[in-house]
Amino acid sequence: MAKSIMIQGAGSNVGKSVLVAGLARAFANRGLQVRPFKSQNMSNNAAVTADGGEIGRAQALQALAARVQPHTDMNPVLLKPETETGAQVIVQGQRFTTSKARDYAALKPKLMPAVLDSFYRLAAGVDLVLVEGAGSPAEVNLRGGDIANMGFAEAAGVPVILVGDIDRGGVIAQLVGTHVVLDKGDADRIVGFLVNKFRGDVSLFQGGMAAIADRTHWAALGVVPWFADAVKLPAEDAADLPVRAADDGFRIAVPKLSRIANFDDLDPLKLEPGVSVQIVGPGQAIPGNVDLILLPGTKSTIGDLAYLRQQGWDIDILAHVRRGGRVLGICGGYQMLGHTISDPQGIEGTAGTYPGLGLLDVETVMHPEKRLAGVTAVHSASGHPVSGYEIHIGTTTGPDCTNHWLTIDGVGHGAASGNGRVSGCYLHGLFSQDEFRTRFLSDLGVAPSGLAFDQTVDNTLNALAKHLEEHLDLDAILAMSATVKP
C-alpha cells in the first residue's frame, strides 16, 4: 500500500518543486514506484497530459523525475491567472470556471472531493506519493477551506516536512515563526524540517539547526547546499525568468508579457552555448542589437497585446523588422502578429475586434473551445519530425498560412511572411527537439552545438537526486511517510 509525505514551505519559492523532483528521482533510483502530487497550483506554465488535460509544468517535471507520464491526477486544481484579481480554474485537467480571488475562498471546499479523488487514485498500486504544498501554511488567514497545505494534509492524513530558504536570510525565524502561528493540530502534523539553498560550509549552521529543533521539536533532516545546476531544469514561475542584458552570440529577446504562459519554449534555447536569451522586463526597451524577437504564449492575448503597446514594445518590434530582424510568435504571440484579433463572444474581456501588429497577413478569431492536445508535426523544410503540444483558444487563417513551416497530418501549420523573416505557430515545445532546434538555429547562422536537451534535463535530475542523497536523511523521510488510507 502506498505511503505519502508532504513538502510544505515556510514561504513561497523556497524550492519545494525542485526538492520534490529531486526526491522523486532519488526514490525512483531506489526502485520505488513514485508519483508527484500537488493539489492546487497557480501557474500559466502548463503541460498537456496524455489523458487530454493540463497540469502545472512543475508536476510534469516531477513526473519525468519519477520516470512516469504526466497525468491530470498529479495536479487536480490548476489556477491560471487571467487578470490581477481573477483566474481560470482547471479541475482534473479541464476548465471548470473562472473565479475572482474574493470568490475562490467559497469555491475551495467544493473542490476538496476532486482533490482527494485524484490523490487516492494516484496512490493506488504505487509505493510513494510525494505531495507538494503551495505557498506557505504560515498564511493562517487562508486556513479555512484550505486544499493546498494543512487542509489537505489533515483531510488525507499526510505528514508534513517544512522547508526553509536560508538564501533569503532569517531562516530560523521562517521555521520557528511558522511553528508559532500554526494551531497545535497543524504544527503537530509537521514531523521534520530541512533548510534549503545554503551557500558555503553547511557545518557552520549546525547551531542554527539545533536552535530550530529545540524550539519546534521537529526532526532536523538536513541542510541542502545551493544546487547551481537547477537553472538547467524548466522554470515553473515567470518570476524565475532572468531579466538580463544579452551576451555575445545569437541574441534572442523575449518581452515578458504580464500573463506570459508556457514559457518552457525558452528552456532549450537558454541552454544553447551559442545563444543568449534576454527577458525584457516592463519599462525596458527591446535592444536594437538582437537577432530574433520571440513573442511567447500568453493567457490573455488581447490584454497582453495592450500591455505590449503600453511598454512601447510594438514600436521596438516594428523597428526591428524594418532593420531586417526576425520575429517568431508562438501561440498568443503568433496571434498578435496578425492584422486583427476578433473576440465576438467576449471570452477574454470586452467583445470586439482588436488590431494586431500587422506583421503577418492573417487574422485570428477567438472561440470558447480550447485546443488541448499533444501533437506530432513535420518540419516542412527538413522533414524532421517535431513533437509538441497545443493549448489555446482561437483559429488563425489568412494568405500567409500558405507559407507554413510545419505540417500536422499533412496539413500546413503556422504562417510566415513572404520574406520569411516573420513567422508564427501554435505549437509549444518544438525547440525541445534537438534536430529541429539545430536546423532552426543553423538557418540563422548559429553553429550546431550538439546540445541534447532531454538528456541534459535527465542528467540534471540524476545529479539533483545524488545531491539530496548526500545531504538529507532520505531513510528518515521514507520512515516518516504515512500509509495512505482512503
Side-chain angles (χ1 to χ4, degrees):
M1 186 172 291
K3 302 187 78 174
S4 184
I5 192 82
M6 188 173 193
I7 307 297
Q8 295 186 20
S12 296
N13 206 31
V14 300
K16 299 185 300 292
S17 296
V18 172
L19 286 170
V20 170
L23 291 171
R25 177 54 61 91
F27 287 123
N29 285 346
R30 291 184 174 196
L32 298 180
Q33 292 291 318
V34 185
R35 299 294 183 272
F37 180 83
K38 184 166 185 170
S39 55
Q40 175 189 291
N41 200 350
M42 178 177 284
S43 177
N44 278 330
N45 203 24
V48 174
T49 62
D51 57 320
E54 55 182 311
I55 62 173
R57 172 62 51 182
Q59 280 61 66
L61 175 65
Q62 291 161 358
L64 176 65
R67 298 192 179 96
V68 295
Q69 290 296 314
H71 193 279
T72 51
D73 283 337
M74 294 174 181
N75 177 206
V77 178
L78 175 62
L79 306 179
K80 305 186 75 173
E82 296 179 322
T83 66
E84 291 297 323
T85 59
Q88 187 178 98
V89 182
I90 307 295
V91 178
Q92 293 179 332
Q94 304 299 320
R95 183 186 181 279
F96 179 71
T97 188
T98 296
S99 177
K100 297 292 185 183
R102 70 173 67 92
D103 301 324
Y104 185 64
L107 179 62
K108 284 191 295 184
K110 302 175 183 178
L111 300 179
M112 182 65 90
V115 166
L116 293 174
D117 175 59
S118 286
F119 175 69
Y120 292 132
R121 188 163 50 229
L122 196 68
V126 303
D127 299 309
L128 179 66
V129 180
L130 293 169
V131 183
E132 180 187 342
S136 170
E139 296 160 340
V140 293
N141 57 305
L142 302 177
R143 179 61 173 88
D146 173 59
I147 64 173
N149 289 307
M150 289 300 180
F152 171 79
E154 179 182 29
V158 178
V160 175
I161 293 171
L162 191 65
V163 180
D165 177 3
I166 198 168
D167 193 53
R168 298 182 176 194
V171 72
I172 295 175
Q174 292 175 34
L175 293 163
V176 176
T178 300
H179 181 272
V180 170
V181 300
L182 293 178
D183 67 32
K184 186 177 186 304
D186 285 347
D188 288 346
R189 265 182 275 281
I190 299 176
V191 294
F193 72 93
L194 62 90
V195 169
N196 196 25
K197 304 182 188 177
F198 191 93
R199 299 176 190 260
D201 183 353
V202 297
S203 67
L204 297 177
F205 196 65
Q206 289 180 354
M209 295 293 282
I212 297 166
D214 287 345
R215 288 165 172 79
T216 62
H217 305 292
W218 299 330
L221 297 170
V223 178
V224 181
W226 185 268
F227 183 68
D229 280 351
V231 297
K232 297 179 181 179
L233 298 175
E236 177 189 23
D237 198 313
D240 296 328
L241 292 173
V243 179
R244 59 177 176 81
D247 300 321
D248 293 334
F250 187 82
R251 297 173 294 273
I252 301 175
V254 183
K256 190 176 182 182
L257 303 173
S258 66
R259 294 286 172 255
I260 187 171
N262 299 95
F263 44 84
D264 53 299
D265 291 315
L266 307 178
D267 293 322
L269 295 172
K270 72 183 184 182
L271 293 185
E272 281 284 352
V275 174
S276 67
V277 177
Q278 176 181 357
I279 309 300
V280 181
Q284 294 180 317
I286 299 175
N289 65 343
V290 299
D291 301 295
L292 171 70
I293 295 175
L294 193 156
L295 288 181
T298 169
K299 187 65 186 68
S300 181
T301 301
I302 294 170
D304 262 346
L305 183 56
Y307 179 80
L308 182 147
R309 288 191 164 106
Q310 290 170 8
Q311 302 302 321
W313 290 334
D314 58 329
I315 298 171
D316 296 338
I317 293 168
L318 294 175
H320 171 78
V321 172
R322 287 196 299 271
R323 291 191 297 266
R326 296 177 179 271
V327 179
L328 170 65
I330 298 179
C331 201
Y334 171 36
Q335 295 173 336
M336 292 180 186
L337 292 174
H339 293 301
T340 59
I341 301 172
S342 297
D343 188 5
Q345 300 182 47
I347 298 166
E348 290 199 354
T350 304
T353 298
Y354 301 85
L357 297 175
L359 294 174
L360 286 177
D361 192 5
V362 298
E363 298 177 341
T364 296
V365 178
M366 297 298 193
H367 48 73
E369 296 78 22
K370 180 184 286 189
R371 167 72 171 163
L372 188 66
V375 175
T376 299
V378 175
H379 182 216
S380 301
S382 66
H384 291 316
V386 181
S387 297
Y389 63 97
E390 291 185 56
I391 180 169
H392 65 92
I393 60 172
T395 301
T396 300
T397 57
D400 277 349
C401 289
T402 61
N403 303 322
H404 55 80
W405 46 291
L406 297 173
T407 59
I408 300 174
D409 296 328
V411 178
H413 177 87
S417 59
N419 61 13
R421 292 188 173 274
V422 180
S423 56
C425 70
Y426 280 113
L427 193 62
H428 291 288
L430 69 173
F431 290 121
S432 296
Q433 319 295 305
D434 296 330
E435 288 187 346
F436 172 81
R437 185 182 66 255
T438 298
R439 173 62 185 263
F440 176 83
L441 292 174
S442 294
D443 288 347
L444 300 178
V446 181
S449 68
L451 172 68
F453 176 70
D454 289 342
Q455 189 61 56
T456 297
V457 172
D458 197 66
N459 291 344
T460 304
L461 288 169
N462 280 328
L464 175 60
K466 182 180 179 182
H467 187 70
L468 298 185
E469 286 274 12
E470 292 174 352
H471 297 285
L472 293 180
D473 190 342
L474 298 195
D475 291 329
I477 291 174
L478 202 55
M480 290 172 173
S481 304
T483 300
V484 175
K485 297 178 180 178

